[in-house]
Amino acid sequence: MKIDGKAWRTIWLEPDGRSIGVIDQIQLPHQFTTRTLRSCEEAAEAIRTMVVRGAPLIGVTGAYGLMLALQADPSDAALAAAFEQLNATRPTAVNLRWALERVRDRVAPLPPAERAEAARTEAAAIADEDVAMCEAIGEHGLAIFQQLAAARPAERQGQPFNVLTHCNAGWLATVDWGTALAPIYKAHRAGLNIHVWVDETRPRNQGASLTAYELGREGVPHTVIVDNAGGHLMQHGQVDAVIVGTDRTTRRGDVCNKIGTYLKALAAHDNNVPFYVALPASTIDWTIDDGVAEIPIEARSAREVTHIQGRVDGGPAAGQLATVQLTPDGSEGFNPAFDVTPARLVTALITERGVAPASEDGLRNLYA
Ligand code: MRU
């Protein structure tokens, strides 16, 4: 996607061929800066602190993290330690484990001297495949949006097609395009009169900061709303569809996504609003069935609840990023980062291979 006319991916191999460049997402939307990752430790730290985030992107960062580790020490012991270090950074998105296993399984049989180069090739392939998968998700989602828009009653045909999304499942969460936002970009480019309701997505506000930033750069009309507004908008016919991403999808089609997604699915169900989940194959965990019982939910720092980051808009510190405390001294916070939406609340899964019911048969028909 383009920022000020320049095409960017979220992660890239630097010209030295040994270090990795990433967009620093902690500084967005107020400052666009990049960082260079030179070691496995730096890659792990970037994932843990959410300099990079979003399920597909942390998978690719993990893959390059193994490359960085193997450049320093290509031994079996170093490979195993780096795998564990990176895999422990964030527990919910299965893309991380998937990408780490893919690189490890590719390089482990090789002589140590060949491992770093092979990891570089494999990580680059994962990144390129992610871009292709996300663009294909965009095409399949576009067809759904076009059908839904055309099926609206005659008096609503001239109005914007309103889509609600939660968190950031855009190009910043992937390598390019995004998952849930890819159909939105495709629709906008195809000339559909689309408007996006952007859930702010407390506590880290990925919607208000990242999704709004992306949509703005692409010129997609959008409005940021507080997380609690979606149900009200649905009751008043102001949402034509909901589309979100997922960090882990079970084989029966339960989806685990940013905290608050489940409440949106319940409201959509109650108001007959279609609820779509967009995902690449790397998000499917074929080893588990019941998402509520089996998916590990990351508990992040309570400080993300009790404090909030923003840009100071006046006074001597105007323009600087600052963190302020929201809660009284002494109040505790609790911060589960994800929740699970059961398959029964999902209208359909939109994958790179096409659209499927959220069920084991639906997924197996696509991926058998
Ligand atoms: O905690 P984050 O910002 O990494 O959470 C990201 C999400 O929940 C996304 O919706 C999910 O990774 C799907 S992204 C394509």
Side-chain angles (χ1 to χ4, degrees), residues 291-312:
V292 174
E294 298 179 84
I295 296 177
I297 301 294
E298 175 181 13
R300 293 189 63 84
S301 165
R303 190 176 160 83
E304 294 180 351
V305 177
T306 59
H307 291 66
I308 196 163
Q309 176 180 286
R311 183 177 63 192
V312 180

Side-chain angles (χ1 to χ4, degrees), residues 258-275:
K258 182 52 55 191
I259 194 80
T261 302
Y262 172 51
L263 289 177
K264 293 299 138 68
L266 285 172
H269 186 72
D270 195 43
N271 290 281
N272 290 318
V273 173
F275 183 93

Side-chain angles (χ1 to χ4, degrees), residues 281-293:
S282 52
T283 302
I284 305 169
D285 186 344
W286 294 101
T287 69
I288 62 172
D289 201 41
D290 180 342
V292 174

Side-chain angles (χ1 to χ4, degrees), residues 184-347:
I184 290 169
Y185 292 132
K186 288 281 181 182
H188 179 67
R189 291 183 187 186
L192 186 71
N193 180 10
I194 194 165
H195 165 263
V196 185
W197 296 114
V198 179
D199 278 355
E200 60 176 346
T201 319
R202 281 280 291 147
R204 288 189 67 105
N205 298 301
Q206 290 94 330
S209 54
L210 304 177
T211 298
Y213 175 80
E214 286 193 22
L215 293 173
R217 286 296 175 282
E218 192 71 11
V220 180
H222 63 281
T223 308
V224 179
I225 53 174
V226 297
D227 290 325
N228 295 326
H232 166 76
L233 293 174
M234 291 182 211
Q235 286 175 323
H236 289 272
Q238 291 177 279
V239 181
D240 294 300
V242 178
I243 188 164
V244 297
T246 165
D247 286 77
R248 192 184 296 227
T249 308
T250 73
R251 64 173 177 266
R252 76 177 185 196
D254 292 351
V255 292
C256 183
N257 192 50
K258 182 52 55 191
I259 194 80
T261 302
Y262 172 51
L263 289 177
K264 293 299 138 68
L266 285 172
H269 186 72
D270 195 43
N271 290 281
N272 290 318
V273 173
F275 183 93
Y276 294 100
V277 181
L279 62 132
S282 52
T283 302
I284 305 169
D285 186 344
W286 294 101
T287 69
I288 62 172
D289 201 41
D290 180 342
V292 174
E294 298 179 84
I295 296 177
I297 301 294
E298 175 181 13
R300 293 189 63 84
S301 165
R303 190 176 160 83
E304 294 180 351
V305 177
T306 59
H307 291 66
I308 196 163
Q309 176 180 286
R311 183 177 63 192
V312 180
D313 70 354
Q320 292 175 19
L321 294 186
T323 299
V324 295
Q325 182 176 328
L326 289 170
T327 52
D329 290 339
S331 287
E332 300 208 344
F334 178 53
N335 188 12
F338 298 94
D339 61 24
V340 173
T341 299
R344 66 186 162 79
L345 297 175
V346 178
T347 305

